[in-house]
Amino acid sequence: MLGTADAVTVGAAAMIGAGVFAVFAPAAEEAGSWLWVALVIAAAVAYCNATSSARLAARHPESGGTYVYGRERLGELWGYVAGWSFTVGKVASCAVMALTFGTYAAPEWSRPLAVAAVVGLTAVNYLGLRKSTGLARLLLAAVLAVLAAVVAVGLGGSEANPAQLAVSGRWPGSFGLLSAAGMLFFAFAGYARIATLGGEVREPETTIPRAIGIALAGVFVVYLLVAAAALTVLGREGLADSSAPLAETVVAAGWPQLVPVVVAGAALASLGALLALILGVSRTVAAMAADGHLPRYFAAVHERFGGPHRAEVAVGALVCLVVLAVDLRGAIGFSAFGVLAYYTITNASALRLGPQENRPPLLVPVFGLAGCVVLAFSLPLISVVAGAAVIAAGAGIWALRRALERRGSA
């Protein structure tokens, strides 16, 4: 059984991934010198979401996350919308991971490299190979070491300009600040992994909430330090214009020899997260197919390898299409919208918990729900329009299917 330290490690490993290598540039473009405030808002919303998820997981200890919580607490439609939002949001997240890998490894070949990564890791999942918890911990240690090196040369070098950290200058507007917070929220994704550990930890009622708080606080500090290093060296404009911000930070700090180390860290973070994401999304697709919400064709399990092979191939193909269709910043915005929609339903489901069901303090799901809605609709307009259209299309498919079922049974 896992203790608090183990649960914190698992949660931190799920959160610290490709996002930290990519998200600060578009966030700085939106928020400017108010980047710090946006980071605090994103962390607060993430905490509320994780707490609501943990309390719901204790009441519904089965796989599926908010797909299950929404169905049981709000009705079948909301469970379906949660599953649909998770799938489309995480498909875009997979594209972010792949594009981050390609951008750091070879910017001029970023898309071909990203597609190759998706194809290769889809094949790994197809064959039944899985990333172990031990490997996740090794990846976390390696990525943290890389981030520590970036922070050290950024904040400790002669090129550092602490004046860049001041929250001053042009007010980015409410939409600019909240749009940045929505993008930074993407970098905290993964905290829900702690909420799913109910059967694997000692005293889950106390261990899971404590681990969530510690993991989020730790990751928040890491992100603060990394953002500070990038800002002091590159400045707000330089960070906003960067395509590979952490690599450009070490170059500007006078340590170009560290670029291969940063590239290796980005590759480890991106590919490790991509492997886990393809695995998770394909299982959600297979579960929805088994329930009849998607074509049952995708629910099939491979006789030899034991995985939902058709769902895995379909997810891999969708990710490749997203990689070829959008850039990194567009994928971050679209992913954030889908995931925020998912957690909106999580918090709404938590509001339906009764006092005898270890309901969180009312402020937590209320702030989480309101925060998700506000951040989602403060994202760049193209992300909002595309995300809302895809989710609406999913709801329309559900309604059409139910209408056909009723007509067939009449």
Side-chain angles (χ1 to χ4, degrees):
M1 299 291 283
L2 302 176
T4 300
D6 296 315
V8 168
T9 302
V10 170
M15 281 186 275
I16 298 179
V20 70
F21 289 88
V23 77
F24 289 116
E29 182 178 14
E30 295 289 337
S33 61
W34 293 76
L35 181 65
W36 309 111
V37 180
L39 189 59
V40 171
I41 294 171
V45 174
Y47 174 79
C48 293
N49 295 346
T51 301
S52 293
S53 296
R55 301 299 174 89
L56 286 162
R59 301 301 305 172
H60 303 282
E62 55 184 294
S63 61
T66 305
Y67 173 57
V68 174
Y69 313 151
R71 182 189 66 203
E72 297 298 322
R73 296 286 169 171
L74 303 174
E76 184 181 351
L77 171 61
W78 294 107
Y80 170 84
V81 171
W84 181 270
S85 299
F86 176 87
T87 300
V88 299
K90 291 302 183 179
V91 164
S93 294
C94 290
V96 173
M97 305 305 166
L99 286 167
T100 299
F101 163 70
T103 299
Y104 273 85
E108 65 279 10
W109 294 95
S110 60
R111 291 186 193 273
L113 282 175
V115 170
V118 173
V119 171
L121 293 180
T122 299
V124 168
N125 274 329
Y126 189 99
L127 295 174
L129 302 179
R130 302 289 179 260
K131 185 178 71 171
S132 68
T133 301
L135 178 57
R137 291 172 180 170
L138 289 175
L139 287 173
L140 174 63
V143 173
L144 284 176
V146 172
L147 296 179
V150 173
V151 170
V153 302
L155 296 180
S158 59
E159 300 299 321
N161 180 9
Q164 297 283 2
L165 301 179
V167 178
S168 60
R170 182 180 62 85
W171 163 244
S174 298
F175 274 102
L177 178 64
L178 295 172
S179 177
M183 291 185 179
L184 289 166
F185 174 85
F186 170 84
F188 286 98
Y191 49 78
R193 177 69 182 93
I194 303 175
T196 65
L197 296 175
E200 303 173 53
V201 299
R202 295 187 295 270
E203 301 178 0
E205 295 82 5
T206 57
T207 298
I208 289 178
R210 186 186 307 123
I212 286 172
I214 295 172
L216 278 169
V219 171
F220 176 68
V221 171
V222 170
Y223 290 172
L224 277 177
L225 292 172
V226 173
L231 275 171
T232 55
V233 175
L234 297 177
R236 302 175 195 110
E237 293 77 13
L239 178 57
D241 293 336
S242 175
S243 59
L246 301 196
E248 294 180 25
T249 295
V250 297
V251 171
W255 288 79
Q257 60 269 37
L258 283 180
V259 169
V261 176
V262 176
V263 169
L268 288 172
S270 304
L271 297 180
L274 180 58
L275 178 62
L277 276 173
I278 292 175
L279 177 68
V281 176
S282 63
R283 268 61 188 170
T284 300
V285 169
M288 293 181 71
D291 289 343
H293 293 311
L294 292 174
R296 294 189 184 276
Y297 174 85
F298 296 114
V301 175
H302 199 285
E303 293 182 359
R304 177 180 176 186
F305 300 123
H309 55 296
R310 293 172 181 169
E312 288 170 340
V313 171
V315 169
L318 283 173
V319 174
C320 288
L321 289 175
V322 176
V323 165
L324 295 173
V326 303
D327 60 12
L328 180 57
R329 299 186 183 204
I332 289 173
F334 184 82
S335 174
F337 187 92
V339 176
L340 285 163
Y342 174 84
Y343 282 111
T344 298
I345 298 173
T346 303
N347 287 294
S349 300
L351 285 171
R352 300 298 297 270
L353 290 170
Q356 72 282 6
E357 296 178 294
N358 195 26
R359 183 177 62 195
L362 187 61
L363 181 63
V364 171
V366 168
F367 181 84
L369 191 157
C372 286
V373 172
V374 171
L375 294 188
F377 285 95
S378 299
L379 289 165
L381 182 59
I382 188 171
S383 298
V384 174
V385 171
V390 171
I391 292 174
I397 292 171
W398 181 88
L400 177 62
R401 183 177 62 82
R402 289 302 300 271
L404 292 175
E405 288 175 354
R406 285 194 296 267
R407 180 176 298 179
S409 61

